Amino acid sequence: MNELPATVRLPADWAVVGKHPGRTMGYKVLAGSLPPERAERYYWGAATGTPDDLEPAEGLPWRVFLGSAQGELQSAGVLVETTWDGSYDGTGAPSYTWRMLVLDWNSASTARLTWSALDRAAPRERPDSGGGALSIEASPTAAAELADTVDRLGFTWAAGVAALLLEGRQVAIVPPPGARLPDTGERVRILDAVCSLLPYGCRAWLSAATWTGQSEHKLLLVFAPTARTEQTATWLGAGSPPEPHTAAARDYLNELLRIRAKRGSTDDLVAHLLRATEVVAGQDPGAAVRALREVDLVDSVLADVAQGRGNLHEVLRMLDMHPMSTLGDHRPALIVPFLAGHGARDALLRWWSPLTPALLAADVLERPATKESFALARSYLSVLNDLEADRPGAFEELFTTMVEAPAQKPDWVAALIHMTANEFRYTADAVDRVVIGSREVGRSWLRKLVMDRLRDPLPPLTRLVPPALRERATVGPPGWLRFAGVLTGYLDASDVEPSDVAEFTDAGDDAWSIALDIAGRNGIQAVVSLMWPSLRARASRSPQRLLTALEAVASPARAGLTPEAAADADLLGALALATAQGHQTALAMPRLARFTDPGDQEAYASALARRIDTDPDLKAPAIGALLGEEPDDASWAVVQRVVKRLPSAEEYVLVGLERRLCRAHGAGAWIDVLSEDQVSILSRRQQLSWLRRVWQLRNAIRSPQALPEMAEVLAETRVDLSLSVQFQHELVACLYTWGAGAAYDLAAELDARSPGLGLALYQALRGSDQARDLCEELKRYSYAQMEYHRQILLAMGAASGGSAPPPPPPARTPAPVLRQEFPPYQPVVQPAPQKGRLRSWSPWRRP
């Protein structure tokens, strides 16, 4: 701090306003170095009227101190003194004199000349300078002197009056009841002492008077017998002044009281305010607050920061005066987070501390784990990320400190890890250890990963699994990480438990889909079986998505597809397809077709049987899909194996066969694969009573001895074609395909067994609507035979008789039949299937 010299010599202008004794005239500028117009402005600024004419000398001299006047462009140090030398004007009224001394503001403020000093330096007589400026010698008032006056008045009282002045209030100091005011010199000291509790720069607009007359005025601090309406009254050194109205004035008063209580002395406070010579505009009381706080700058700034009212400019100004390294151990804990929170990156670099990352982390961690603290952590990370080039490693230290904090909530930590990886592309072994080492953090992190539709989950999982396996070499990683090891190919399916899979798939609605996608990319088909409970539920809730996902991981064309994975995928696909298409069952097991080896078919059937054995609701859709629309060797072989392993599935197979056999078209293919045992069982069902005869007939048709065997079947029924429509269809279609000659030969076979059965066949055919076209063919055939035999008779000399047979009727389109193609009767006859092939089925019992 720069100390002032004991005395200073300063230039000053002066003026005298008054009247010439004995003359009748108004008051005017009588002499001085001030231009008259300026003198008049200061005169009117200080004018408060004249003393009482009855006692003109009472209370004089009056002294007024001004920092400005209306019309003046610059501030100044002004003293205006009202005196009376006993003279009268031409009217007999006392003739008063106003002597004024005006110092340039820069000169007065540089010397920190207060009103007491100005009062002591002012000449008491009219200057004899020939109208020129004066040179006065002044002794600046010591801070201790002013502080002593403040303490005598009472610091709280003086501070309260100063706060009222700061908000522009007019304050009248009045004597307490029964008391007298001190003399003029003491009043000057009191006025000066009160204003010494404001920055010196406020004197550019402050004004005060030791006494005032009856005229209106705008002086701010005056002694008066009573207060006017527009003034605020306060007893001299007694009681408490009124509370300030404005926030800035209240802040200023509180700061005065806080600093005085903290320091225990007024001297330093007054000395500091005397040095605050920068002009403080009356419209900016906040500048006075800032100037005051500089006496206790660090603590006041930090107090504002701690209360959430910190000002970045003030903090930077404090650091300019008090570098971070000088602030001790605890104060940076407030400043560093404040700078980071306000994005002051340059300031952080300038006053960088090795403790910066730790201080920022501590500021976050001392708060509850909420959205607000998360946003704060993100902002701090953003700041240090921008400074990474200048302060490498600071970002990582901040981040790892926050996520490794043992008391922090797992969800909060997981969200921070996920956010940092996405926004800052940051990963580290230390962070991975947190995810691996804490089951709660890991599960929460997985939920974030599953919910993030913009991020590929495979790279982070692939990164996490190897260190998890290394760190837990003996027992393996916990829960979902173990299943992630299977998905990424580091572990075998046998290494996981159902709970591990459930922990992964329960992480979110899309966890199952993500798992299948990763498994598909890595060729891990076993996950279909591992994830069965989750996928089973998805078959009815998300059927189309499940079908798509199954195609990715276990496509029918995928190389290396195992029978077990294929069985599970086919069954899930059947369930999903049934839901998606609104069917009760889906008739497709597309992956089964690739397994022709009996061993693979056995493995497929075993897997399927295990699933439907533990879940009865699966039996109907599983058997329905396995049977399909048309029988094939692979499906039929698996059906037999499933029933062999799981006899309870037999009834579902029978129900499926019954539905297929009762269709209008395509039943023949199913009849051909049935064994005698199956036929026996199915024929007992009301809708399939025709099955045995049709099955026998179709077997006869395929026999090398087709006609004799067909005749045997017809003979058993006594050629009763009314037994079933299906039987009629089958017989008529076969005979129509083979031709009328075959019908003739069949009739001959029947007559050979029992005379008249052949004609019974013709009669039965004639009575069947289905055989109309066949009957027409038989008629044409018979007419042709008649013509041929007539010619034989003629050739043999027999007498001709009768007319030629009528022309055959036109052929018509045959009626629909159960089976539309038959082998030709002559010369090629399709052999009957070998016994024991498709027709045999050991699980059925002979009735």
Side-chain angles (χ1 to χ4, degrees):
M1 138 188 357
N2 295 324
E3 295 295 340
L4 293 174
T7 59
V8 292
R9 184 163 291 277
L10 303 172
D13 286 308
W14 63 279
V16 175
V17 175
K19 297 179 181 180
H20 293 297
R23 295 186 185 182
T24 303
M25 58 180 290
Y27 289 103
K28 66 176 183 178
V29 178
L30 301 178
S33 62
L34 273 176
E37 64 274 12
R38 289 193 67 197
E40 289 180 0
R41 284 196 285 270
Y42 288 123
Y43 166 74
W44 288 112
T48 64
T50 58
D52 187 347
D53 286 350
L54 298 177
E55 297 182 10
E58 182 67 24
L60 291 179
W62 295 353
R63 290 173 188 154
V64 176
F65 300 93
L66 302 175
S68 62
Q70 187 173 359
E72 286 292 303
L73 299 179
Q74 302 293 330
S75 298
V78 180
L79 166 61
V80 179
E81 183 179 45
T82 304
T83 59
W84 183 54
D85 59 3
S87 61
Y88 295 86
D89 62 11
T91 65
S95 179
Y96 300 102
T97 300
W98 286 266
R99 291 197 298 267
M100 58 188 68
L101 188 67
V102 180
L103 278 69
D104 175 73
W105 171 259
N106 289 332
S107 299
S109 62
T110 300
R112 300 201 285 270
L113 206 63
T114 67
W115 296 336
S116 298
L118 183 59
D119 184 56
R120 287 194 293 264
R124 298 305 177 201
E125 300 295 334
R126 178 170 176 168
D128 184 15
S129 61
L134 300 176
S135 177
I136 64 171
E137 188 174 89
S139 299
T141 307
E145 179 185 339
L146 294 169
D148 180 65
T149 303
V150 168
D151 288 339
R152 283 192 292 106
L153 294 170
F155 185 89
T156 301
W157 179 88
V161 175
L164 295 175
L165 296 175
L166 187 61
E167 62 181 6
R169 302 269 286 277
Q170 290 181 276
V171 180
I173 303 174
V174 298
R180 292 178 58 85
L181 292 175
D183 61 25
T184 300
E186 180 62 13
R187 294 182 208 175
V188 170
R189 284 188 291 274
I190 291 171
L191 297 175
D192 205 15
V194 169
C195 290
S196 72
L197 293 182
L198 292 170
Y200 185 93
C202 292
R203 294 174 187 257
W205 51 267
L206 282 171
S207 57
T210 57
W211 198 254
T212 58
Q214 300 303 314
S215 298
E216 296 292 335
H217 63 82
K218 295 183 179 180
L219 300 177
L220 293 178
L221 182 62
V222 300
F223 281 92
T226 59
R228 294 175 176 274
T229 303
E230 70 275 10
Q231 293 176 330
T232 299
T234 180
W235 288 344
L236 176 61
S240 297
E243 288 289 327
H245 292 165
T246 62
R250 289 194 296 271
D251 286 347
Y252 192 89
L253 175 59
N254 291 334
E255 280 298 290
L256 279 175
L257 297 175
R258 182 187 69 81
I259 294 171
R260 176 63 175 77
K262 176 182 177 182
R263 293 177 175 266
S265 169
T266 310
D267 291 11
D268 290 344
L269 177 58
V270 171
H272 167 75
L273 292 173
L274 288 177
R275 292 192 295 271
T277 57
E278 183 177 351
V279 174
V280 176
Q283 298 80 16
D284 185 17
V289 178
R290 293 190 293 272
L292 170 63
R293 286 176 174 169
E294 289 187 2
V295 70
D296 197 23
L297 185 60
V298 173
D299 288 345
S300 61
V301 169
L302 291 184
D304 276 354
V305 170
Q307 295 169 16
R309 302 183 305 173
N311 179 281
L312 180 60
H313 174 74
E314 289 298 298
V315 171
L316 297 180
R317 193 160 66 90
M318 177 198 73
L319 290 173
D320 282 332
M321 300 173 63
H322 305 278
M324 192 82 74
S325 59
T326 67
L327 295 178
D329 295 334
H330 304 296
R331 288 167 173 169
L334 280 174
I335 299 171
V336 170
F338 178 84
L339 294 176
H342 285 73
R345 291 162 175 79
D346 292 341
L348 278 175
L349 278 179
R350 180 181 175 188
W351 290 291
W352 184 264
S353 166
L355 297 176
T356 294
L359 293 175
L360 295 177
D363 186 54
V364 172
L365 295 174
E366 70 181 9
R367 305 166 189 262
T370 61
K371 292 180 179 179
E372 289 72 20
S373 63
F374 186 87
L376 185 64
R378 173 185 281 168
S379 70
Y380 287 170
L381 287 169
S382 177
V383 170
L384 292 198
N385 185 60
D386 292 343
L387 301 181
E388 185 66 15
D390 297 291
R391 298 295 174 182
F395 177 94
E396 179 173 354
E397 182 181 349
L398 168 62
F399 179 67
T400 54
T401 302
M402 289 191 293
V403 299
E404 290 178 345
Q408 193 60 290
K409 289 186 177 179
D411 284 349
W412 192 94
V413 173
L416 191 67
I417 292 173
H418 184 75
M419 178 276 297
T420 305
N422 280 0
E423 294 189 14
F424 301 108
R425 299 293 184 266
Y426 173 79
T427 58
D429 291 342
V431 179
D432 290 347
R433 284 195 296 273
V434 174
V435 176
I436 296 168
S438 170
R439 193 184 192 95
E440 292 76 15
V441 171
R443 292 173 65 179
S444 182
W445 176 87
L446 179 63
R447 286 193 292 271
K448 304 293 181 185
L449 184 68
V450 167
M451 293 170 60
D452 189 350
R453 299 181 183 273
L454 301 178
R455 186 181 181 191
D456 183 1
L458 180 55
L461 290 177
T462 304
R463 188 188 70 248
L464 279 173
V465 170
L469 295 177
R470 288 194 302 270
E471 291 188 12
R472 297 175 177 265
T474 56
V475 296
W480 64 270
L481 260 173
R482 197 153 39 230
F483 181 61
V486 175
L487 294 177
T488 53
Y490 289 98
L491 290 177
D492 189 74
S494 60
D495 295 326
V496 300
E497 300 293 335
S499 59
D500 302 332
V501 182
E503 193 168 276
F504 190 102
T505 55
D506 289 346
D509 289 341
D510 290 335
W512 67 273
S513 177
I514 290 172
L516 288 186
D517 174 67
I518 294 174
R521 283 190 275 170
N522 289 332
I524 314 297
Q525 303 163 9
V527 300
V528 177
S529 300
L530 292 176
M531 293 174 60
W532 176 264
S534 176
L535 301 182
R536 167 75 171 86
R538 293 290 167 180
S540 58
R541 290 157 53 188
S542 308
Q544 199 56 56
R545 289 185 63 194
L546 178 59
L547 288 170
T548 302
L550 289 174
E551 278 294 310
V553 69
S555 169
R558 193 177 189 107
L561 184 63
T562 65
E564 293 79 8
D568 279 339
D570 272 346
L571 184 51
L572 289 168
L575 293 173
L577 197 60
T579 301
Q581 297 181 352
H583 299 159
Q584 290 186 348
T585 56
L587 307 177
M589 289 293 214
R591 295 163 183 82
L592 173 57
R594 66 183 294 163
F595 300 111
T596 58
D597 180 78
D600 290 340
Q601 291 176 352
E602 178 64 26
Y604 186 102
S606 297
L608 201 61
R610 284 195 300 271
R611 289 293 180 213
I612 64 179
D613 185 32
T614 58
D615 190 346
D617 292 340
L618 291 178
K619 288 181 180 178
I623 297 300
L626 191 60
L627 289 173
E629 290 291 347
E630 296 290 340
D632 65 78
D633 289 350
S635 295
W636 196 248
V638 171
V639 167
Q640 296 180 72
R641 287 182 165 89
V642 169
V643 173
K644 184 177 180 180
R645 286 181 168 274
L646 193 63
S648 62
E650 178 181 359
E651 180 59 29
Y652 293 92
V653 176
L654 293 174
V655 170
L657 289 172
E658 180 180 8
R659 184 176 66 83
R660 288 159 177 79
L661 290 168
C662 290
R663 292 185 302 200
H665 303 285
W670 289 102
I671 295 173
D672 290 344
V673 301
L674 296 178
S675 68
E676 186 174 358
D677 289 342
Q678 295 169 320
V679 171
S680 297
I681 296 173
L682 291 170
S683 296
R684 299 172 192 166
R685 300 184 178 232
Q686 183 176 1
Q687 297 185 82
L688 298 178
S689 58
W690 52 267
L691 178 60
R692 173 174 288 281
R693 296 299 180 189
V694 174
W695 177 76
Q696 290 173 337
L697 180 61
R698 290 184 66 84
N699 284 341
I701 291 170
R702 292 194 297 271
S703 170
Q705 303 295 322
L707 291 182
E709 291 194 18
M710 291 173 66
E712 187 70 30
V713 174
L714 285 169
E716 290 181 7
T717 66
R718 303 303 295 174
V719 198
D720 184 359
L721 299 187
S722 64
L723 289 175
S724 71
V725 175
Q726 292 85 353
F727 190 84
Q728 289 184 47
H729 272 296
E730 198 72 35
L731 178 62
V732 171
C734 177
L735 294 178
Y736 188 86
T737 301
W738 286 347
Y744 179 84
D745 291 343
L746 179 59
E749 287 285 349
L750 287 169
D751 280 334
R753 282 165 173 73
S754 178
L757 280 181
L759 286 177
L761 173 63
Y762 291 127
Q763 292 171 350
L765 291 174
R766 179 184 176 186
S768 171
D769 290 339
Q770 301 181 49
R772 285 179 298 177
D773 294 326
L774 177 59
C775 289
E776 296 302 324
E777 290 290 333
L778 284 171
K779 290 178 183 179
R780 285 193 291 272
Y781 177 81
S782 296
Y783 284 132
Q785 290 298 313
M786 290 172 59
E787 175 62 19
Y788 179 65
H789 285 290
R790 187 178 68 81
Q791 292 176 6
I792 292 175
L793 291 173
L794 288 175
M796 296 180 67
S800 64
S803 60
R812 292 189 295 179
T813 304
V817 294
L818 289 174
R819 183 184 179 106
Q820 297 182 4
E821 294 184 5
F822 288 84
Y825 166 65
Q826 197 176 15
V828 179
V829 177
Q830 180 175 341
Q834 299 176 1
K835 292 183 178 181
R837 196 170 179 268
L838 295 179
R839 295 172 54 198
S840 64
W841 200 9
S842 57
W844 271 271
R845 299 174 297 282
R846 186 178 301 276

